[in-house]
Amino acid sequence: MKALVVYSSRTGNTEKIARAIHAAMPRGTGLAGPRDAPDPEGFDFIALGFWVDKGNADAQSLEYIKKIREKKVGLFMTLGARPDSEHAKKCMNSVKALLEPRNTVIREFVCQGKIDPALTKMFESFPADHPHAMTDERRARHEEAAKHPDENDLARAAACFENIAVEPENPR
Ligand SMILES: Cc1cc2nc3c(=O)[nH]c(=O)nc-3n(C[C@H](O)[C@H](O)[C@H](O)COP(=O)(O)O)c2cc1C
């Protein structure tokens, strides 16, 4: 099985997850950013990692997604919101919808990722009546996100992708 890990990462969170997944994949698996990655055509399995930018996958990942056809795909995503939130589910599902039905998504992994402090500062600068003003709830979410990805996230990501070569037909 020829596999490729393609990831986009602005501040390093998704890159950490990508490296953990890559280490769990068969020897010879490629690792690249969406701009340098080879065409997906020559591969059996594409692990695609993106970060959430305003409710969607980041722009570079969206560009690469357009090239993926008739492949088995594993998606991994990092975001500031909680992984079990409606927002997270919506983001993952909208990316999945871009790939299916012409591809089959056989793995999904989501974890929180530290939010760029510049963005936190921007929220803090908004007046209290602004829809994105810094509330206690938002501050707590940013503080929780700042702890991720942690060792547990990396181990879970690796475990999610480690059986691709031996059981490619068995989605989990
Ligand atoms: C410009 C910008 C927009 C973002 N938009 C969202 C968003 O809509 N929802 C969310 O949950 N997190 C959002 N985040 C948080 C990032 O998705 C999160 O910190 C992610 O882990 C960053 O990944 P990276 O370190 O690989 O770049 C945003 C961050 C930035 C900088």
Side-chain angles (χ1 to χ4, degrees), residues 21-160:
I21 287 172
H22 182 248
M25 301 274 295
R27 193 189 284 244
T29 296
L31 176 72
R35 287 194 170 149
D36 310 320
D39 193 280
E41 202 35 57
F43 296 87
D44 306 302
F45 176 76
I46 311 286
L48 183 88
F50 58 93
W51 60 278
V52 172
D53 182 0
K54 298 175 210 74
N56 206 345
D58 66 89
Q60 288 190 29
S61 297
L62 287 174
E63 276 306 302
Y64 195 78
I65 282 171
K66 291 183 194 161
K67 301 184 194 168
I68 308 176
R69 288 180 184 278
E70 286 161 38
K71 299 289 165 205
K72 290 195 170 68
V73 178
L75 292 174
F76 57 101
M77 155 179 120
T78 75
L79 80 173
R82 295 210 161 80
D84 59 355
S85 61
E86 282 308 309
H87 179 65
K89 284 177 201 146
K90 219 170 134 193
C91 296
M92 181 54 95
N93 285 339
S94 69
V95 173
K96 236 175 120 175
L98 296 174
L99 285 154
E100 292 178 335
R102 67 175 200 275
N103 299 284
T104 311
V105 176
I106 60 167
R107 293 290 190 277
E108 287 173 42
F109 177 82
V110 179
C111 84
Q112 241 177 331
K114 181 179 161 70
I115 296 164
D116 185 340
L119 198 65
T120 304
K121 272 213 173 98
M122 191 179 83
F123 285 128
E124 281 167 346
S125 74
F126 291 146
D129 59 351
H130 190 283
H132 290 131
M134 187 54 90
T135 57
D136 287 349
E137 193 270 330
R138 175 165 275 129
R139 194 182 307 281
R141 190 155 19 95
H142 283 223
E143 284 171 8
E144 182 56 35
K147 299 176 196 158
H148 297 274
D150 61 15
E151 287 305 317
N152 184 39
D153 297 322
L154 301 184
R156 286 188 307 107
C160 183

